[in-house]
Amino acid sequence: GGDGFFQAVDPTDANIIYSESQYGNIIRYDKKSGELIDVRPEPIKGEKTFKWYWDTPFIISPHSHSRLYIAAERVFRSDDRGDSWIEISGDLTTQTDRNTFPVMGKYWSADALSKDLSTSQFGLIVSLAESPLKENLLYAGTDDGLIQVTEDAKTWRKIDNVPDVPKFTLVSDILPSRFSENVVYASFNNHKRDDFKPYIFKSSDKGKTWKSIAANLPANGAVNTIVEDPVEPNLIFIGTEWGVFFSVDGGEKWIQLKNGIPNVKVTDLAIQERENDLVVATFGRGFYILDDYSALRSVAKNQLKKEGEIFPVSDAYLYIQSQGRYGQGSTYFKAANPEFGAAITYNINEVPKTLKAERKEKEKPLFKDGKPIPQPSYEELKAEESEKAPYLIFTFTDESGNEIRKLTKAASAGINRITWDLRYESTEPVLAKENKFNPTAKQNSALLVLPGKYKVSLSMVTRGEEKQLADPVEFNAVPLSNTTIPVTDRKELVVFQQKSYELARTVWGAQRLAQELQNKLETIKQTLNNTPAATFLIIKKADAVSVKLDEILFAFNGKPGKASAEEIPPQEVPLNWRLEKMIYAQTNSTSNVTKNQKVAYEVLHEALLPILQQLKQIDEVEVKAIENEMEKLGAPWTPGRVPEVK
């Protein structure tokens, strides 16, 4: 209940969950039974009430799953999952009365409008952490600028000497390192005093001395939270007033993570260690997940010195994706999953400018200074218009070195990602949108590849020339064992699927050719009708060819149903029905090849040969003969006919 804050799950028993709402109101919930109990520390006889922060810091000790820590103006510890608590510190704040601070340059009486209304009290612990390496090494940060440290969970040492941090600045986060018990990170947030400067520091001696690692962070981006990669010591992430930043060199330089994260206040970060996912929580109660950021560990090692690079690729799982749920209405909700397939993370140091971009860059200072701007020639403008912006080609090869898929993407500098869906390219006919070549147009996928090892390489095309940017990187496609009736021989299945798609390529092509020839014949007949010298005999000849094409298309499509295909009386099975049984059933299954699919293949293969021979006769002989006669008659041009000079 209430607004959610710190949550924690017992690392040894996922049924035990701690859930906190505002002002330290924390419950222990038993997921197995549904029972819950309030476990917030309360004053014993003779004690005054405690001062709780709105977002009360709470942690499970990394050294004992039953040990809890929570903080008000003092720190409490429980060794029995919250059944009882002991105080392990006194008041760790400066114990300053906030009414001694001027607000908007004045001191205000108790009658001031909304004074102290809907705000936390002052003089509270707002951040709390225990070293994952050393038991009882605890750090507490307060809202009035202090960091307190203990190494025995009893005796506390005050730290108030962090350089250049204004007095009374809230300690937004503390992070003891998992690589050295002496290293600790701390961030401060002073936005309540209209100071949005990023205050973030590192200490290598348990807080005795501090070094700023704010480096190149934006001057107005206060830091709210810090996390450390569990593998690479120099890889750190922070949440700021304007998004997420990471550093691969321990804070010497920061880079903003974009690609879907808006410029929003990031209040908390967490790392899902098994999957290497970075989870981001925003002030707007939104969640963002960067799936498998492990490539950034490679960045930390090589410092992005290469022209282009593909980072190590994690195993990609082969399975048939769920198609969603039917009939759920408005009751069904799902968020986006990670993209299916092999996630290829890569870096491009620099992307060449287009001709137009180069020209405009040269013109900009001239325009600013009021100087004459050279006007491009017609040929130069034409070259700009016809130029394709630089784009990337990702080439995938199998264990035998065969190129099995190519993906293209617009080139942009920096760290980016593309996902291969582990499928071969479809053999269906391709159409250029608006009759214009687009090198980065969406491609069509077919069937899943075989499990095994694959490689991906990277090249860039600029002004019609291709340049290799990254050597091949190997990765595995691994089948997910999630089927009740697994395929007996997956290789045999894929071989049949490839054979089927090759036959389908011919079926689709033959059908498209028949349709295009039919369209062509309609234009020819219309043109002959408008040609004075054309006899009715030649129009009849064209009409006879058109009838043949109708019969071929009928073999593909069959008789249309009045409402649906199932309502058609018994007829010869259309070839497209066979094709559907052979192909589309395989897109949603990895089971053994069925008898229906084998029969469909045999029937299609047998029926297609005479159709192809007939189409060849129509295209290369009969239509050509009609077109030759049209040219002699001086008929207007028709598609596919080369006009002659008389």
Side-chain angles (χ1 to χ4, degrees):
D3 296 306
F5 294 105
F6 288 94
Q7 316 291 308
V9 180
D10 188 312
T12 66
D13 187 349
N15 284 312
I16 302 299
I17 299 172
Y18 301 92
S19 180
E20 181 189 281
S21 56
Q22 57 264 43
Y23 299 123
N25 285 295
I26 190 163
I27 61 162
R28 186 181 70 224
Y29 177 67
D30 185 342
K31 199 166 65 170
K32 189 175 182 181
S33 67
E35 296 178 8
L36 57 87
I37 187 170
D38 181 2
V39 294
R40 187 181 79 168
E42 300 297 341
I44 60 174
K45 185 178 180 180
E47 277 190 318
K48 293 182 179 178
T49 56
F50 305 129
K51 293 163 63 179
W52 298 102
Y53 188 48
W54 180 269
D55 318 10
T56 300
F58 163 77
I59 58 172
I60 297 177
S61 171
H63 304 285
S64 171
H65 70 95
S66 59
R67 182 176 300 156
L68 315 177
Y69 290 101
I70 196 168
E73 77 278 21
R74 62 197 71 197
V75 181
F76 301 89
R77 168 170 157 169
S78 172
D79 285 299
D80 52 15
R81 295 190 172 101
D83 286 344
S84 64
W85 296 88
I86 59 170
E87 296 179 20
I88 62 169
S89 80
D91 188 334
L92 296 181
T93 72
T94 64
Q95 301 174 47
T96 302
D97 180 358
R98 71 168 159 210
N99 284 311
T100 60
F101 297 137
V103 178
M104 294 183 289
K106 294 184 178 182
Y107 296 91
W108 299 81
S109 76
D111 300 320
L113 183 65
S114 298
K115 190 171 189 302
D116 301 330
L117 186 64
S118 295
T119 61
S120 294
Q121 298 187 64
F122 186 70
L124 309 167
I125 296 170
V126 295
S127 52
L128 183 68
E130 183 178 19
S131 168
L133 299 177
K134 184 177 180 182
E135 191 173 8
N136 296 325
L137 174 55
L138 293 158
Y139 294 88
T142 72
D143 63 350
D144 54 8
L146 296 183
I147 295 175
Q148 300 267 11
V149 57
T150 178
E151 297 187 49
D152 57 8
K154 295 176 184 176
T155 311
W156 294 81
R157 169 168 52 88
K158 181 171 71 174
I159 299 169
D160 59 0
N161 63 335
V162 182
D164 301 321
V165 178
K167 194 175 181 181
F168 298 118
T169 299
L170 180 142
V171 183
S172 55
D173 202 9
I174 299 177
L175 179 70
S177 174
R178 65 178 72 209
F179 299 102
S180 168
E181 70 172 74
N182 294 313
V183 173
V184 60
Y185 299 89
S187 61
F188 296 77
N189 189 320
N190 199 34
H191 78 272
K192 291 182 181 179
R193 294 178 179 83
D194 202 26
D195 173 14
F196 288 85
K197 183 178 177 182
Y199 297 104
I200 180 168
F201 298 85
K202 178 180 179 180
S203 172
S204 299
D205 52 14
K206 299 178 183 174
K208 293 183 178 70
T209 59
W210 297 86
K211 173 191 173 185
S212 172
I213 55 170
N216 62 316
L217 286 172
N220 66 339
V223 180
N224 302 311
T225 185
I226 319 162
V227 290
E228 184 183 50
D229 179 65
V231 175
E232 175 54 51
N234 289 318
L235 179 55
I236 311 166
F237 301 89
I238 59 170
T240 76
E241 206 70 20
W242 303 110
V244 180
F245 290 77
F246 73 95
S247 174
V248 296
D249 52 16
E252 295 295 323
K253 179 184 177 183
W254 295 94
I255 302 167
Q256 187 171 8
L257 281 174
K258 297 180 181 177
N259 278 357
I261 299 181
N263 286 334
V264 65
K265 178 177 181 177
V266 172
T267 53
D268 204 4
L269 297 171
I271 291 173
Q272 210 288 0
E273 295 186 18
R274 185 190 65 204
E275 304 297 336
N276 301 310
D277 292 347
L278 178 69
V279 185
V280 179
T282 73
F283 185 70
R285 300 190 186 190
F287 280 91
Y288 296 83
I289 298 175
L290 175 60
D291 299 298
D292 190 9
Y293 69 82
S294 58
L296 296 181
R297 293 171 186 155
S298 301
V299 177
K301 291 174 183 173
N302 64 31
Q303 300 294 299
L304 302 178
K305 293 176 182 176
K306 298 179 182 177
E307 188 177 9
E309 182 173 9
I310 296 174
F311 301 115
V313 181
S314 300
D315 287 353
Y317 292 103
L318 284 158
Y319 59 91
I320 299 297
Q321 292 177 274
S322 169
Q323 300 302 306
R325 301 182 185 182
Y326 175 75
Q328 298 280 314
S330 62
T331 63
Y332 179 58
F333 171 80
K334 68 176 181 180
N337 281 320
E339 285 193 64
F340 170 84
I344 314 300
T345 308
Y346 61 96
N347 179 66
I348 304 294
N349 263 349
E350 187 178 1
V351 176
K353 291 182 173 63
T354 61
L355 293 170
K356 186 174 184 178
E358 285 182 349
R359 174 175 61 81
K360 292 178 80 67
E361 190 175 46
K362 292 175 183 176
E363 290 175 352
K364 192 174 180 180
L366 296 174
F367 181 79
K368 184 179 179 182
D369 297 338
K371 295 179 179 178
I373 295 176
Q375 297 301 301
S377 66
Y378 170 78
E379 288 74 18
E380 288 170 330
L381 289 174
K382 188 177 179 182
E384 287 182 6
E385 187 178 347
S386 62
E387 181 186 12
K388 300 295 180 187
Y391 64 94
L392 305 174
I393 299 177
F394 296 84
T395 304
F396 295 86
T397 55
D398 61 17
E399 292 184 61
S400 302
N402 302 311
E403 292 186 0
I404 58 167
R405 191 75 192 266
K406 284 189 177 181
L407 298 178
T408 57
K409 187 178 180 181
S412 59
I415 299 172
N416 291 281
R417 178 173 283 170
I418 190 171
T419 304
W420 173 40
D421 62 3
L422 303 176
R423 290 179 179 269
Y424 296 106
E425 182 70 24
S426 173
T427 57
E428 287 190 77
V430 177
L431 290 175
K433 189 176 181 181
E434 297 177 356
N435 295 318
K436 287 186 178 180
F437 167 60
N438 177 5
T440 59
K442 182 175 172 58
Q443 293 151 293
N444 298 319
S445 296
L447 300 162
L448 287 172
V449 298
L450 266 172
K453 294 185 182 300
Y454 293 87
K455 289 182 179 179
V456 55
S457 59
L458 170 63
S459 60
M460 184 191 298
V461 176
T462 307
R463 295 178 189 170
E465 299 295 329
E466 183 179 5
K467 181 181 181 182
Q468 188 82 11
L469 292 186
D471 293 331
V473 171
E474 189 174 84
F475 62 95
N476 299 310
V478 182
L480 194 65
S481 299
N482 65 332
T483 55
T484 307
I485 309 174
V487 62
T488 308
D489 185 336
R490 187 145 190 169
K491 186 172 183 180
E492 182 185 358
L493 168 68
V494 173
V495 167
F496 177 80
Q497 290 176 336
Q498 289 176 319
K499 187 172 71 168
S500 298
Y501 254 83
E502 175 54 31
L503 181 59
R505 180 186 70 85
T506 313
V507 174
W508 284 319
Q511 188 174 358
R512 182 68 67 84
L513 175 60
Q515 188 61 62
E516 288 187 356
L517 285 171
Q518 182 67 290
N519 296 341
K520 190 176 188 178
L521 261 296
E522 293 301 306
T523 303
I524 284 173
K525 288 189 288 184
Q526 191 67 53
T527 304
L528 288 170
N529 189 62
N530 295 2
T531 303
T535 66
F536 188 70
L537 187 63
I538 189 173
I539 296 176
K540 282 186 69 176
K541 192 184 292 186
D543 204 41
V545 177
S546 188
V547 170
K548 292 180 185 179
L549 289 168
D550 275 340
E551 291 171 354
I552 291 172
L553 289 170
F554 183 82
F556 283 111
N557 299 315
K559 188 188 301 181
K562 291 183 179 180
S564 68
E566 285 78 11
E567 297 179 10
I568 301 173
Q571 62 167 312
E572 193 71 30
V573 179
L575 297 182
N576 280 343
W577 287 26
R578 299 286 189 192
L579 183 67
E580 184 174 346
K581 295 300 178 188
M582 182 182 74
I583 288 293
Y584 298 118
Q586 299 178 46
T587 13
N588 296 320
S589 172
T590 58
S591 298
N592 289 322
V593 181
T594 66
K595 184 178 179 181
N596 280 344
Q597 292 167 346
K598 292 176 181 177
V599 168
Y601 181 88
E602 291 165 5
V603 173
L604 280 170
H605 194 275
E606 184 179 339
L608 201 57
L609 290 174
I611 289 175
L612 288 172
Q613 289 171 357
Q614 195 175 6
L615 283 172
K616 193 170 184 180
Q617 171 72 16
I618 291 171
D619 185 32
E620 297 178 3
V621 179
E622 297 177 28
V623 173
K624 284 283 186 290
I626 294 171
E627 288 177 331
N628 289 338
E629 286 190 55
M630 293 178 74
E631 194 60 33
K632 290 175 184 176
L633 295 170
W637 176 85
T638 51
R641 195 172 102 237
V642 180
E644 297 176 3
V645 177
K646 293 184 179 181

